[in-house]
Amino acid sequence: MSEQVYSHNDEDFTDDICGIVQGVINDFDPDEEIVFPFELELDEADSIPHTFAGLACIESLIEASQEVAYYACHEYSDGWLDDVTDEQKDDLRTVMDEWATRHGLQPTFHSVKRTGKITVVVLNEDGDWKIK
């Protein structure tokens, strides 16, 4: 299941609107007066998580293994792994994800799918805000 994330710069996405608001306030020139309230337009997106196995290409892994086997054993390896079923590939993905989880190697990054924009009204210098 995805969660909603937001961006003010169309590059860095977070679920922390308070952090975005405080960052914008901090970026104002300290010699200029900030007029409150003001509006911020944020990109809204669904966060799409990744897994180790989800990013690995199982077909390429099988093919690379076949190539190494051919290099080591030539035609004697012909046909090895040619009949790997979808169920067996899913099994391999499960094992890979269990390994990555056990060793703390699951991805901590995500992709985003933009869903629209929201307007946030920044109410004061403390960073209080509301969605318009």
Side-chain angles (χ1 to χ4, degrees):
M1 186 162 113
S2 64
E3 68 176 282
Q4 291 300 121
V5 291
Y6 307 91
S7 174
H8 178 59
N9 62 10
D10 198 34
E11 206 173 291
D12 302 309
F13 284 82
T14 178
D15 63 350
D16 181 16
I17 293 178
C18 292
I20 293 172
V21 167
Q22 200 58 57
V24 168
I25 291 171
N26 292 343
D27 285 345
F28 273 98
D29 184 336
D31 296 330
E32 292 183 28
E33 183 180 346
I34 305 172
V35 179
F36 293 98
F38 66 88
E39 294 183 359
L40 277 178
E41 187 174 78
L42 304 181
D43 288 303
E44 185 176 45
D46 289 332
S47 170
I48 303 166
H50 294 287
T51 64
F52 180 85
L55 294 172
C57 179
I58 299 301
E59 288 75 15
S60 293
L61 176 63
I62 290 169
E63 187 178 303
S65 298
Q66 288 173 312
E67 289 173 6
V68 170
Y70 186 82
Y71 179 78
C73 300
H74 306 286
E75 67 274 359
Y76 295 105
S77 68
D78 281 351
W80 179 62
L81 299 179
D82 281 349
D83 299 322
V84 176
T85 66
D86 287 342
E87 183 179 327
Q88 291 166 328
K89 290 176 188 176
D90 288 343
D91 236 9
L92 181 54
R93 286 182 187 93
T94 299
V95 170
M96 290 171 73
D97 272 334
E98 288 170 353
W99 172 85
T101 299
R102 187 171 54 250
H103 295 287
L105 299 172
Q106 286 290 6
T108 56
F109 49 86
H110 59 265
S111 296
V112 294
K113 178 180 178 189
R114 285 170 179 75
T115 57
K117 295 190 179 288
I118 65 167
T119 301
V120 172
V121 180
V122 181
L123 303 171
N124 55 43
E125 62 189 20
D126 293 329
D128 294 329
W129 58 272
K130 66 180 181 180
I131 295 177
K132 184 175 180 183

